[in-house]
Amino acid sequence: MLTTTLAAPAALTFDAILAAGDVVARELAPTPLLAHPLLDLAVGAEVLVKHEHVLPTGSFKVRGGVHLAARLTEVEHERGLVTCSTGNHAQSVAYGARLAGTRATVVMPLCAPAVKREAVAALGADVVIHGATLGEAAAHARSLARDAGAPSYVDTTDTRIILGHATAYLELFRQARDLDAVFVPIGSGTGAVGACLVRDALAPGCRVVGVQSAAAPAVWRSWRSGVVETAPATTRASGLATSNGYPATLDHLRHGLQDFLLVSDDDLDGAARLLASHAGTLAEGAGAAALAGLLATPVKPSRVAVMCTGGNASADEIARLAAA
């Protein structure tokens, strides 16, 4: 069981990320940042892949759950947690709750892949299926936290979660400080916020480029307009299926990202296929988004990192890898 500090959440600062790095490093080994010569040839640039999919739960998001577990309040620890997700955030909170020795309830929409529902349950969380969209699942999860004595709601953009996610980029920029750019998939934007904050401290000359599915463009629209917007989320990539922007991440994304790209779901499949054939890596749609964004960039950076954020590919995604 992880010993919790029962401390209030820290602000989104580099010092807080360093502290989160110490917490996460006690539970999770650093993930490799690897070159794949065949991938370099296919892309036309020197590409380093940050293999976050090798972490427990198969996603970088477990970092958020580990850090959350160490920062629970006494009330949260006593009453347990409730959250919503299409899969990877759900697994991270379930993993964190198990580390902390408390309970977790996860509300998942009907569109959540079965393999991710099963993985959340296997970690000991109670899974509730509700709603057709992530927004509907989120509303139900919040309703479960309203009564006296109810579990505490954990938002996907909780500061403790963002700080945990940022530790992936603390590792990355320590592993390679001379990068021209880093491409980052964006669902709610928590990982991209971490990328920007760490970049500002360790590699200010590096560009951070966000990538989202054109079939779920709410955060992209919010980034362009400066206000939280909504949009249909019809993407096949469950990790990118957000239907609204997020106030907690929007300002950081607007100030930190040098660019924000939309790619098609077919582009995601093509990038996943390239990772499998040229880098020996099975990535889910969101995990392939960074490479898809790089492939869609006309002028490639000379030396670039792409985040393979998750490997929890559904049966449908795996089947599409074989399609020519």
Side-chain angles (χ1 to χ4, degrees):
M1 180 189 299
L2 186 71
T3 301
T4 62
T5 62
L6 305 178
L12 289 177
T13 65
F14 184 63
D15 284 344
I17 294 171
L18 290 175
D22 291 339
V23 170
V24 171
R26 290 196 291 268
E27 297 293 331
L28 304 175
T31 60
L33 179 70
L34 299 178
H36 300 278
L38 276 177
L39 187 62
D40 291 353
L41 289 174
V43 175
E46 183 181 356
V47 183
L48 299 175
V49 180
K50 181 69 166 159
H51 289 274
E52 290 287 290
H53 66 290
V54 302
L55 288 167
T57 78
S59 167
F60 86 106
K61 290 197 172 180
V62 72
R63 296 173 178 274
V66 168
H67 186 246
L68 174 70
R71 303 294 189 217
L72 293 180
T73 65
E74 292 181 0
V75 170
E76 288 171 327
H77 193 271
E78 178 183 347
R79 297 181 181 177
L81 309 172
V82 61
T83 194
C84 67
S85 170
T86 55
N88 288 338
H89 169 69
Q91 290 184 69
S92 78
V93 172
Y95 189 96
R98 188 170 72 171
L99 274 180
T102 190
R103 302 174 306 281
T105 298
V106 178
V107 182
M108 306 182 77
L110 291 167
C111 63
V115 65
K116 293 187 177 181
R117 300 183 199 177
E118 293 165 2
V120 174
L123 287 166
D126 295 324
V127 177
V128 176
I129 306 301
H130 183 93
T133 67
L134 185 58
E136 292 173 356
H140 186 64
R142 288 187 177 94
S143 75
L144 297 179
R146 287 179 187 145
D147 295 336
S152 299
Y153 180 73
V154 178
D155 192 85
T156 186
T157 58
D158 186 296
T159 300
R160 297 165 293 183
I161 296 288
I162 296 175
L163 290 172
H165 293 173
T167 65
Y169 298 93
L170 190 60
E171 287 182 13
L172 168 65
F173 285 113
R174 285 171 169 171
Q175 290 166 322
R177 298 200 179 203
D178 54 348
L179 296 168
D180 297 311
V182 175
F183 282 66
V184 184
I186 292 182
S188 61
T190 55
V193 168
C196 293
L197 291 170
V198 178
R199 181 274 318 276
D200 289 347
L202 296 184
C206 180
R207 301 174 73 245
V208 177
V209 179
V211 186
Q212 189 169 50
S213 171
V219 178
W220 178 83
R221 290 185 183 180
S222 302
W223 178 78
R224 285 174 59 88
S225 69
V227 297
V228 173
E229 296 197 25
T230 61
T234 59
T235 177
R236 297 189 297 259
S238 61
L240 303 178
T242 53
S243 56
N244 57 270
Y246 292 79
T249 59
L250 179 56
D251 286 346
H252 291 282
L253 296 178
R254 281 179 59 82
H255 287 98
L257 292 178
Q258 276 63 58
D259 204 354
F260 195 164
L261 308 175
L262 291 180
V263 297
S264 72
D265 278 7
D266 287 344
D267 291 335
L268 296 176
D269 286 348
R273 196 172 297 117
L274 195 61
L275 283 169
S277 62
H278 288 56
T281 299
L282 177 63
E284 62 186 278
L291 180 58
L294 175 59
L295 292 169
T297 302
V299 180
K300 307 290 191 291
S302 296
R303 192 165 192 259
V304 58
V306 296
M307 302 298 292
C308 182
T309 51
N312 294 314
S314 67
D316 288 342
E317 287 176 311
I318 293 172
R320 288 198 302 271
L321 287 179

mmCIF file of all heavy atoms in Angstrom, residues 79 142-152:
data_model
loop_
_atom_site.group_PDB
_atom_site.id
_atom_site.type_symbol
_atom_site.label_atom_id
_atom_site.label_comp_id
_atom_site.label_asym_id
_atom_site.label_seq_id
_atom_site.Cartn_x
_atom_site.Cartn_y
_atom_site.Cartn_z
ATOM 1 N N ARG A 79 -13.535 7.985 2.160
ATOM 2 C CA ARG A 79 -14.770 7.771 1.407
ATOM 3 C C ARG A 79 -14.567 7.107 0.055
ATOM 4 O O ARG A 79 -15.516 6.615 -0.551
ATOM 5 C CB ARG A 79 -15.489 9.107 1.202
ATOM 6 C CG ARG A 79 -15.927 9.768 2.502
ATOM 7 C CD ARG A 79 -16.649 11.062 2.211
ATOM 8 N NE ARG A 79 -17.056 11.732 3.437
ATOM 9 C CZ ARG A 79 -17.656 12.930 3.482
ATOM 10 N NH1 ARG A 79 -17.909 13.576 2.348
ATOM 11 N NH2 ARG A 79 -17.987 13.480 4.634
ATOM 12 N N ARG A 142 -20.413 12.747 -11.331
ATOM 13 C CA ARG A 142 -20.535 13.864 -10.382
ATOM 14 C C ARG A 142 -21.760 13.698 -9.500
ATOM 15 O O ARG A 142 -21.728 14.033 -8.313
ATOM 16 C CB ARG A 142 -20.599 15.190 -11.140
ATOM 17 C CG ARG A 142 -19.260 15.609 -11.761
ATOM 18 C CD ARG A 142 -19.348 17.009 -12.341
ATOM 19 N NE ARG A 142 -18.068 17.439 -12.880
ATOM 20 C CZ ARG A 142 -17.716 17.313 -14.154
ATOM 21 N NH1 ARG A 142 -18.559 16.748 -15.016
ATOM 22 N NH2 ARG A 142 -16.539 17.729 -14.573
ATOM 23 N N SER A 143 -22.828 13.151 -10.067
ATOM 24 C CA SER A 143 -24.039 12.950 -9.265
ATOM 25 C C SER A 143 -23.818 11.938 -8.154
ATOM 26 O O SER A 143 -24.426 12.034 -7.076
ATOM 27 C CB SER A 143 -25.206 12.502 -10.160
ATOM 28 O OG SER A 143 -25.063 11.147 -10.557
ATOM 29 N N LEU A 144 -22.923 10.975 -8.388
ATOM 30 C CA LEU A 144 -22.633 9.965 -7.379
ATOM 31 C C LEU A 144 -21.808 10.525 -6.221
ATOM 32 O O LEU A 144 -21.695 9.886 -5.170
ATOM 33 C CB LEU A 144 -21.878 8.791 -8.012
ATOM 34 C CG LEU A 144 -22.620 8.006 -9.094
ATOM 35 C CD1 LEU A 144 -21.729 6.893 -9.640
ATOM 36 C CD2 LEU A 144 -23.917 7.420 -8.546
ATOM 37 N N ALA A 145 -21.253 11.713 -6.411
ATOM 38 C CA ALA A 145 -20.397 12.320 -5.379
ATOM 39 C C ALA A 145 -21.122 13.391 -4.579
ATOM 40 O O ALA A 145 -20.504 14.048 -3.730
ATOM 41 C CB ALA A 145 -19.159 12.923 -6.033
ATOM 42 N N ARG A 146 -22.423 13.584 -4.814
ATOM 43 C CA ARG A 146 -23.126 14.715 -4.201
ATOM 44 C C ARG A 146 -23.631 14.445 -2.788
ATOM 45 O O ARG A 146 -23.734 15.347 -1.975
ATOM 46 C CB ARG A 146 -24.304 15.124 -5.087
ATOM 47 C CG ARG A 146 -23.868 15.830 -6.359
ATOM 48 C CD ARG A 146 -25.048 16.208 -7.215
ATOM 49 N NE ARG A 146 -24.614 16.742 -8.495
ATOM 50 C CZ ARG A 146 -25.253 16.559 -9.637
ATOM 51 N NH1 ARG A 146 -26.374 15.850 -9.653
ATOM 52 N NH2 ARG A 146 -24.792 17.070 -10.754
ATOM 53 N N ASP A 147 -23.985 13.232 -2.478
ATOM 54 C CA ASP A 147 -24.599 12.953 -1.185
ATOM 55 C C ASP A 147 -23.580 12.978 -0.055
ATOM 56 O O ASP A 147 -22.379 12.774 -0.268
ATOM 57 C CB ASP A 147 -25.288 11.586 -1.208
ATOM 58 C CG ASP A 147 -26.454 11.540 -2.181
ATOM 59 O OD1 ASP A 147 -27.017 12.620 -2.475
ATOM 60 O OD2 ASP A 147 -26.784 10.443 -2.661
ATOM 61 N N ALA A 148 -24.060 13.223 1.155
ATOM 62 C CA ALA A 148 -23.181 13.202 2.322
ATOM 63 C C ALA A 148 -22.553 11.822 2.470
ATOM 64 O O ALA A 148 -23.232 10.797 2.369
ATOM 65 C CB ALA A 148 -23.987 13.543 3.575
ATOM 66 N N GLY A 149 -21.263 11.807 2.671
ATOM 67 C CA GLY A 149 -20.554 10.552 2.827
ATOM 68 C C GLY A 149 -20.236 9.846 1.526
ATOM 69 O O GLY A 149 -19.665 8.745 1.542
ATOM 70 N N ALA A 150 -20.577 10.473 0.387
ATOM 71 C CA ALA A 150 -20.333 9.860 -0.916
ATOM 72 C C ALA A 150 -18.852 9.938 -1.265
ATOM 73 O O ALA A 150 -18.099 10.734 -0.691
ATOM 74 C CB ALA A 150 -21.154 10.571 -1.983
ATOM 75 N N PRO A 151 -18.405 9.122 -2.213
ATOM 76 C CA PRO A 151 -17.004 9.207 -2.644
ATOM 77 C C PRO A 151 -16.706 10.568 -3.277
ATOM 78 O O PRO A 151 -17.606 11.263 -3.755
ATOM 79 C CB PRO A 151 -16.879 8.073 -3.669
ATOM 80 C CG PRO A 151 -18.275 7.787 -4.110
ATOM 81 C CD PRO A 151 -19.149 8.068 -2.942
ATOM 82 N N SER A 152 -15.445 10.934 -3.276
ATOM 83 C CA SER A 152 -15.015 12.223 -3.817
ATOM 84 C C SER A 152 -14.807 12.117 -5.317
ATOM 85 O O SER A 152 -14.168 11.176 -5.801
ATOM 86 C CB SER A 152 -13.704 12.660 -3.145
ATOM 87 O OG SER A 152 -13.878 12.813 -1.750
#
